[in-house]
Amino acid sequence: LAARLAADPAAERPDVLLLLGDQVYADETSGATRRRLAARRDLREPPGAEVADYEEYTCLYDESWRDPEVRWLLSTVPSCMIFDDHDVIDDWNTSAAWQEQIRATPWWHERIVSGLMSYWVYQHLGNLSPAELAADPLYATVRAVPDGTEALRRHAAGADADPAGTRWSYQRIFGRVQLLMVDTRAARVLSEGRRAMLDDREAAWLRDTVLADPSAYDHILIGSSLPWLLPPLAHDAESWNAALCGGSRGSRWARFGEKVRRAADLEHWAAFPDSFDRFTELLRRAGSGPEAPATVCVLSGDVHHAYIAEPRWPDTAPGGPPESRVLQLTCSPLHNSVPRSLRWTFRFGWSGVGRSIGRLLIRHGRTQRPPVSWSRTGGPWFGNQLMTLTLHGRNSALTLVQAKSTFRNNLLVKVLERSLTKES
């Protein structure tokens, strides 16, 4: 993408580049990074070949963004980013039991503090507008002293100790397009019985911001690193697991459920059923009314492939179905290769048989069906790829390109171009 844009200075450039999590992998380092870590400390001591402190995080960001083309792209096209789990550790904040166990290790405190410090420096500062930067007291403090390390360290430690005291989510406005990037990792409530993807303060901010004046926007984009709509079997498995861990089948099933939750990475929106239902209702309300936006899109990554999903509200839903077109747009652009077995699993999760198995799990877990149904209307696509939204007035179109290598060069090959609105 960078090479194509640089080759034609007159070409139209993206207004903004969205990076939806796992910008760096603190828990899976490359051979080059491991050699740099080994030069500093004994990798036989925890956390081993994983990142341990702020200095080592700088190695990750250097490795991820050091290519001249990537550096040029990030210096030329505005970007909006949000973290996901691998920016800190795999399945970060999966459950209260996970959190208790990780906090008991001698290396975790330095890891989480360093992860949040480096995120603030390398990602979060670039998310803020000039006015927001000027009003940020931490930014002013860091700039006012010769070395801002301790001020930033105190802030990061406080953010870990009291997640409700720091907001990583933010809003950006592009004409009549509203973008909200939502923290679905640090803002979680993990206590069984109270589990929530967003704590009360974060949920209130999202609700109030989305509903403040939907008629002011032609399109609302909500960046959530974790997909809202998964393959139905995956969704039902996570809801079933959440019910087991919550005690719906007793303590023995709850212990079994916690083991399954960690082993199978069951910690998306579906694993927080109340949060899923509230978020779904928020999207319906945002898309309702005579002056509703043309589209309300949830933009996500995380799952190492791309797909499009579209929900259907029943006519009997309170308030009725939304007037806006509501979509889940998922794209993990640059990622670990997906094994054939996992590709088959993703596809099977959308199948009729997969849906039937999901219904059995829901029945066993004694949980309720979600307030909407949904289907896959595009994909799945596997490989390194970029998804582009083109928004003009109330028109919306989506393009997906994939990276292909030939004998002579590397190309971006268009695999999908689709209108998302009737007017397009």
Side-chain angles (χ1 to χ4, degrees):
L1 174 63
R4 189 172 69 182
L5 293 177
D8 185 2
E12 186 176 31
R13 294 180 181 175
D15 292 296
V16 63
L17 183 67
L18 305 184
L19 284 78
L20 291 159
D22 297 338
Q23 275 68 261
V24 294
Y25 270 58
D27 52 343
E28 295 181 36
T29 54
S30 68
T33 294
R34 286 195 293 272
R35 288 189 290 273
R36 295 173 76 172
L37 302 186
R40 301 185 72 237
R41 57 181 174 85
D42 187 351
L43 298 190
R44 292 172 295 184
E45 299 293 329
E50 300 183 16
V51 166
D53 59 23
Y54 180 86
E55 179 69 20
E56 294 179 3
Y57 261 105
T58 67
C59 298
L60 289 189
Y61 284 101
D62 174 62
E63 182 177 50
S64 293
W65 294 341
R66 73 190 308 174
D67 294 331
E69 297 87 351
V70 174
R71 293 172 61 190
W72 177 88
L73 182 68
L74 292 175
S75 73
T76 305
V77 178
S79 60
C80 291
M81 310 185 192
I82 195 72
F83 47 51
D84 197 29
D85 54 344
H86 289 286
D87 294 87
V88 176
I89 193 170
D90 188 25
D91 300 335
W92 177 25
N93 283 344
T94 293
S95 66
W98 177 94
Q99 188 179 71
E100 180 181 4
Q101 182 176 334
I102 200 74
R103 284 180 171 176
T105 63
W107 53 269
W108 171 249
H109 179 73
E110 186 63 30
R111 168 76 150 271
I112 183 64
V113 168
S114 299
L116 294 176
M117 289 173 65
S118 60
Y119 173 77
W120 187 85
V121 170
Y122 287 94
Q123 299 191 49
H124 188 64
L125 285 180
N127 297 329
L128 305 180
S129 68
E132 289 170 319
L133 280 174
D136 189 304
L138 178 59
Y139 184 63
T141 299
V142 169
R143 294 191 67 197
V145 296
D147 186 345
T149 301
E150 289 308 313
L152 184 53
R153 175 176 287 276
R154 285 193 300 271
H155 176 81
D160 176 53
D162 180 19
T166 301
R167 175 172 299 125
W168 299 108
S169 302
Y170 59 95
Q171 174 185 229
R172 293 286 296 274
I173 304 298
F174 303 93
R176 287 184 56 83
V177 178
Q178 181 187 41
L179 169 67
L180 295 119
M181 296 286 270
V182 183
D183 164 20
T184 57
R185 283 292 171 183
R188 295 180 175 187
V189 177
L190 299 177
S191 302
E192 296 296 342
R194 295 181 53 245
R195 277 173 62 86
M197 183 67 84
L198 308 175
D199 61 41
D200 290 343
R201 179 174 174 268
E202 194 81 6
W205 173 85
L206 178 61
R207 181 185 64 248
D208 294 346
T209 308
V210 169
L211 299 180
D213 188 8
S215 64
Y217 305 107
D218 293 322
H219 307 277
I220 296 178
L221 310 177
I222 300 180
S224 165
S225 63
L226 300 170
W228 161 53
L229 299 179
L230 292 167
L233 174 56
H235 177 98
D236 291 342
E238 296 203 13
S239 298
W240 162 78
N241 178 262
L244 294 188
C245 293
S248 68
R249 283 282 182 175
S251 58
R252 291 182 63 183
W253 276 103
R255 290 191 294 271
F256 170 75
E258 178 63 27
K259 293 179 181 178
V260 172
R261 176 156 58 189
R262 297 198 209 179
D265 298 350
L266 305 183
E267 39 88 43
H268 297 79
W269 281 95
F272 299 81
D274 290 342
S275 295
F276 178 90
D277 291 353
R278 287 193 293 270
F279 187 51
T280 301
E281 173 61 12
L282 175 62
L283 297 174
R284 188 199 66 79
R285 291 180 62 188
S288 298
E291 297 183 333
T295 64
V296 178
C297 296
V298 179
L299 314 178
S300 305
D302 180 67
V303 291
H304 304 281
H305 68 293
Y307 65 88
I308 304 169
E310 188 162 1
R312 296 182 300 277
W313 274 263
D315 293 334
T316 56
E323 282 77 15
S324 303
R325 189 174 189 188
V326 180
L327 293 163
Q328 167 72 66
L329 305 178
T330 304
C331 181
S332 300
L334 309 170
H335 55 73
N336 296 326
S337 179
V338 179
R340 287 185 178 273
S341 59
L342 194 55
R343 296 186 185 197
W344 179 88
T345 301
F346 283 132
R347 290 190 173 96
F348 181 73
W350 294 101
S351 69
V353 175
R355 291 173 186 268
S356 298
I357 295 173
R359 287 192 287 269
L360 292 176
L361 292 174
I362 289 294
R363 192 176 307 150
H364 178 266
R366 299 171 178 168
T367 188
Q368 295 182 341
R369 299 294 303 166
V372 292
S373 60
W374 59 93
S375 59
R376 175 173 51 86
T377 56
W381 297 281
F382 299 93
N384 290 335
Q385 52 208 342
L386 292 171
M387 187 176 281
T388 301
L389 274 177
T390 302
L391 309 173
H392 184 74
R394 293 182 64 83
N395 295 340
S396 175
L398 183 145
T399 305
L400 183 76
V401 296
Q402 290 188 331
K404 303 292 183 182
S405 294
T406 67
F407 177 74
R408 294 186 176 183
N409 54 16
N410 300 315
L411 303 172
L412 288 179
V413 178
K414 187 182 299 183
V415 296
L416 176 74
E417 189 168 34
R418 177 182 298 180
S419 166
L420 301 182
T421 48
K422 294 179 182 178
E423 296 92 338
S424 295

